[in-house]
Amino acid sequence: MTRLVLLLTFLVVPAVSSAQDSGLAFSSEDPLGSVVAPVMLPAGATALYGYTGAPEVGVGFRQGIGGFEMEARGRFDWFKLGASLEVLGRKEVLRRGALQLAPTLGVGLVLNSGATYMDADNFSGVLVRILPGLVASYRVADTVALLGLVDLPIDLGLTGDKQRRFQALGGAGVEVYLGSGLSLLAAGQLGVETFQERAGAGHTRLGFNARVGLGTRLF
């Protein structure tokens, strides 16, 4: 963790100094952002990304379409040995100077093995996932965007008796343009998680998500 902080400091500080001298770029040709930033890709822009972290790893595809963005992604939770496929939409609703804000909404399908070697409270099942959320971005330099992230995933069981899982996660991150079309993301979230395998067997505990990702713009 200390090494990651030092790396991000090394990348961010020179970029901020450069931005103070040259000003920020916000044109449709702007290459920064492919994993989370910008909050909405411009029309015609396409990005691919992958990330690793805890409790999950994932890959995704983003496509700017007119006044909104579509995203498809796959995630593997290595704590639970569960996988999900998800489709989301994102729409920018606020742009004020360097600040951008966009809500997200999506649906997905979750296949959970029920493995308990890392999570003693895990349960098996097939669940439908509803994915409301919010992404904020504050551009501090030509090559750096600070991020605010809110995710509120709701899983509802299709195979069990009133199976459910809900997380309320909030946090922050930074996405840095490395050159050659590549952007690096580091982000972390904390919150609460509530879940039950069957009616009357609910639990509430700490929820978290930490990830480091790399993405590229294709167009």
Side-chain angles (χ1 to χ4, degrees), residues 126-147:
V126 179
L127 306 98
V128 63
R129 175 168 288 173
I130 304 169
L131 292 152
L134 188 69
V135 179
S137 173
Y138 188 82
R139 191 72 172 268
V140 297
D142 280 342
T143 57
V144 181
L146 301 180
L147 303 169

Side-chain angles (χ1 to χ4, degrees), residues 2-72:
T2 301
R3 292 181 179 178
L4 177 59
V5 171
L6 290 174
L7 173 61
L8 293 174
T9 301
F10 175 78
L11 291 170
V12 170
V13 172
V16 173
S17 299
S18 174
Q20 291 174 343
D21 296 332
S22 60
L24 302 179
F26 291 98
S27 73
S28 60
E29 302 299 322
D30 178 14
L32 171 63
S34 50
V35 189
V36 175
V39 299
M40 186 179 73
L41 288 177
T46 302
L48 289 175
Y49 66 84
Y51 65 85
T52 184
E56 63 185 26
V57 298
V59 294
F61 169 85
R62 300 174 62 190
Q63 178 67 54
I65 307 173
F68 67 101
E69 176 191 314
M70 292 298 296
E71 178 179 355

Side-chain angles (χ1 to χ4, degrees), residues 26 39 92 94-101 136-139:
F26 291 98
V39 299
E92 181 183 87
L94 174 68
R95 181 190 291 258
R96 184 170 298 171
L99 177 67
Q100 296 175 282
L101 187 68
S137 173
Y138 188 82
R139 191 72 172 268

Side-chain angles (χ1 to χ4, degrees), residues 131-196:
L131 292 152
L134 188 69
V135 179
S137 173
Y138 188 82
R139 191 72 172 268
V140 297
D142 280 342
T143 57
V144 181
L146 301 180
L147 303 169
L149 306 168
V150 175
D151 290 300
L152 305 167
I154 305 164
D155 295 345
L156 302 173
L158 299 176
T159 56
D161 177 23
K162 297 187 178 180
Q163 289 182 340
R164 60 167 175 78
R165 186 183 304 273
F166 170 70
Q167 288 183 312
L169 300 177
V174 59
E175 192 155 343
V176 180
Y177 181 62
L178 303 178
S180 301
L182 296 175
S183 292
L184 173 71
L185 169 78
Q189 295 171 284
L190 284 175
V192 296
E193 177 182 22
T194 178
F195 58 94
Q196 67 177 27

Side-chain angles (χ1 to χ4, degrees), residues 43-121:
T46 302
L48 289 175
Y49 66 84
Y51 65 85
T52 184
E56 63 185 26
V57 298
V59 294
F61 169 85
R62 300 174 62 190
Q63 178 67 54
I65 307 173
F68 67 101
E69 176 191 314
M70 292 298 296
E71 178 179 355
R73 67 191 183 197
R75 301 197 281 180
F76 178 74
D77 188 321
W78 56 275
F79 279 31
K80 299 180 176 68
L81 292 186
S84 64
L85 295 175
E86 302 165 358
V87 178
L88 303 93
R90 193 186 293 183
K91 170 71 175 178
E92 181 183 87
V93 296
L94 174 68
R95 181 190 291 258
R96 184 170 298 171
L99 177 67
Q100 296 175 282
L101 187 68
T104 64
L105 183 62
V107 295
L109 184 67
V110 182
L111 305 176
N112 196 6
S113 70
T116 57
Y117 80 104
M118 288 285 287
D119 185 347
D121 295 318

